[in-house]
Amino acid sequence: MFKGNLASQVGALYKPEDQRRADAFQIYYLAVNAGVITTPLIVGTLGETVGWHWGFAAAGIGMLIGLSIYVAGQKYLPKEDFVRGSASARAQRPPLSRRERLITAALILMIPVLAVAIVPNNQIFNAYLVWGNEQFDLVFFGKKLPTTWLITLDSITSVAFLAGVAIFYRWYGKRRREPDEITKLMIGSAFSVLGMLCLFMAAVSKPTGGKIGLLWPMAFHLTNSIAFAHILPVSLAFFARLAPATINSTVMGLYYLAFFACNTLVGWVGGLYEKWPTPRFWLLHAAFAVGSGTVFVVFKVFLSPYLLNGPSEKAKKDLC
């Protein structure tokens, strides 16, 4: 009841054609990643050094603060947003049109594609850490840095590029036509491929009997963060814009099934790390990004004209 409805509210703040919706979801993910950076420093530190009850209490206080901000900010939301969600409005909801049913079906079919698309990013929290702990040169001034700091590094670069990509498209949109969501998903897939190729290069360039330097891993985190900024917030904006108003929150809830499917796949694929040569393992992840990017291209060419611009006669023929 939290994620789907919250994302639906963010999407409802903008008109259907307003490209700022993607920027809003980048800010949304910016806050999420800020939490990823700060929460271990507060909750984790209290739990490990003072007592776990203090850590859990801090988490509860944080949730109360967030809830207070949310309730206090209701007055800033458009009034029509609440009218649409009233009991009388729900009783008068018309049935879904044929086009709305097609849009919903297309969005549901995109869920497994998104699951595959974010496997390269989510493998950071699984086999990547095992590999980094075993093979990366993490020793600085005679002391080995914690492997989990790689997650902090990734969160910092993600936050930086979420903000940077949003600023770039605001600048770009004033000079040229800003790409739509599907095009941004294609761009994100391309950067995801580059990120996996950086890990491939790190694996093949490992010196015999030595450790992997952080040049290629750093390049991976940079390119993958650009991919992250083009895939996760943009796909959320895409679902929020296209999902029919009467079932918007439900469709947004279904969107998060992509993470369930992705993490299930991440766990299964991660088991191949000990069985396959490492370069081949990361090439498989590059193939995931290529495959999902190809589907986004197909969606853009064949379905996008119908779903995004309405059922013109040409689009109807193309769809058939």
Side-chain angles (χ1 to χ4, degrees):
M1 297 179 68
F2 180 74
K3 286 190 174 181
N5 287 284
L6 186 59
S8 180
Q9 278 194 307
V10 174
L13 294 175
Y14 300 87
K15 294 180 180 180
E17 69 278 3
D18 196 333
Q19 295 287 358
R20 293 179 299 169
R21 180 182 289 100
D23 294 346
F25 279 109
Q26 285 171 333
I27 296 172
Y28 177 81
Y29 266 105
L30 191 71
V32 172
N33 277 274
V36 173
I37 294 172
T38 58
T39 299
L41 299 177
I42 299 173
V43 176
T45 301
L46 284 173
E48 292 189 49
T49 61
V50 182
W52 285 111
H53 56 291
W54 288 100
F56 285 116
I61 292 171
M63 286 186 278
L64 286 175
I65 293 173
L67 182 60
S68 300
I69 294 172
Y70 179 78
V71 172
Q74 295 292 303
K75 60 184 178 182
Y76 298 107
L77 293 176
K79 292 182 179 180
E80 57 269 21
D81 188 72
F82 297 100
V83 173
R84 189 171 64 242
S86 65
S88 59
R90 288 197 299 270
Q92 300 173 3
R93 285 176 179 174
L96 295 179
S97 65
R98 180 177 180 274
R99 180 168 178 265
E100 287 177 328
R101 291 196 299 270
L102 285 173
I103 289 174
T104 303
L107 291 177
I108 291 174
L109 289 175
M110 185 173 281
I111 290 173
V113 182
L114 285 171
V116 172
I118 57 182
V119 165
N121 178 77
N122 284 23
Q123 194 64 257
I124 294 173
F125 310 103
N126 191 41
Y128 176 74
L129 287 180
V130 177
W131 182 46
N133 185 61
E134 294 174 348
Q135 304 295 339
F136 288 5
D137 183 8
L138 298 174
V139 177
F140 284 86
F141 299 104
K143 184 177 180 180
K144 185 179 183 297
L145 299 179
T147 307
T148 51
W149 282 20
L150 293 171
I151 300 298
T152 300
L153 170 64
D154 186 74
S155 297
I156 292 172
T157 55
S158 293
V159 166
F161 279 102
L162 280 168
V165 167
I167 293 171
F168 169 78
Y169 280 118
R170 289 280 60 77
W171 171 84
Y172 186 87
K174 293 178 180 178
R175 290 158 177 79
R176 299 181 183 179
R177 184 176 179 181
E178 184 176 343
D180 58 29
E181 294 100 335
I182 291 295
T183 303
K184 289 180 181 178
L185 289 172
M186 292 158 52
I187 295 171
S189 296
F191 275 101
S192 185
V193 173
L194 289 176
M196 293 302 103
L197 292 180
C198 287
L199 295 185
F200 169 80
M201 290 301 300
V204 298
S205 62
K206 177 181 176 294
T208 304
K211 297 283 188 176
I212 298 172
L214 293 182
L215 175 62
W216 284 114
M218 281 292 296
F220 156 71
H221 284 288
L222 293 175
T223 53
N224 184 71
S225 293
I226 298 174
F228 177 91
H230 281 83
I231 294 178
L232 290 180
V234 171
S235 60
L236 256 177
F238 183 71
F239 270 64
R241 180 166 73 90
L242 285 185
T246 54
I247 58 170
N248 193 279
S249 295
T250 302
V251 174
M252 295 308 298
L254 292 174
Y255 165 87
Y256 287 98
L257 288 175
F259 291 89
F260 165 76
C262 166
N263 288 322
T264 301
L265 190 57
V266 163
W268 180 80
V269 173
L272 300 175
Y273 170 72
E274 295 181 347
K275 302 175 183 178
W276 285 15
T278 306
R280 182 183 173 190
F281 178 77
W282 294 119
L283 280 181
L284 174 63
H285 289 74
F288 284 147
V290 170
S292 58
T294 301
V295 176
F296 292 145
V297 172
V298 172
F299 193 97
K300 171 79 173 179
V301 173
F302 294 102
L303 292 179
S304 186
Y306 183 83
L307 296 181
L308 303 185
N309 303 323
S312 65
E313 291 303 318
K314 183 178 184 303
K316 287 180 180 178
K317 292 179 183 179
D318 291 342
L319 186 63
C320 294

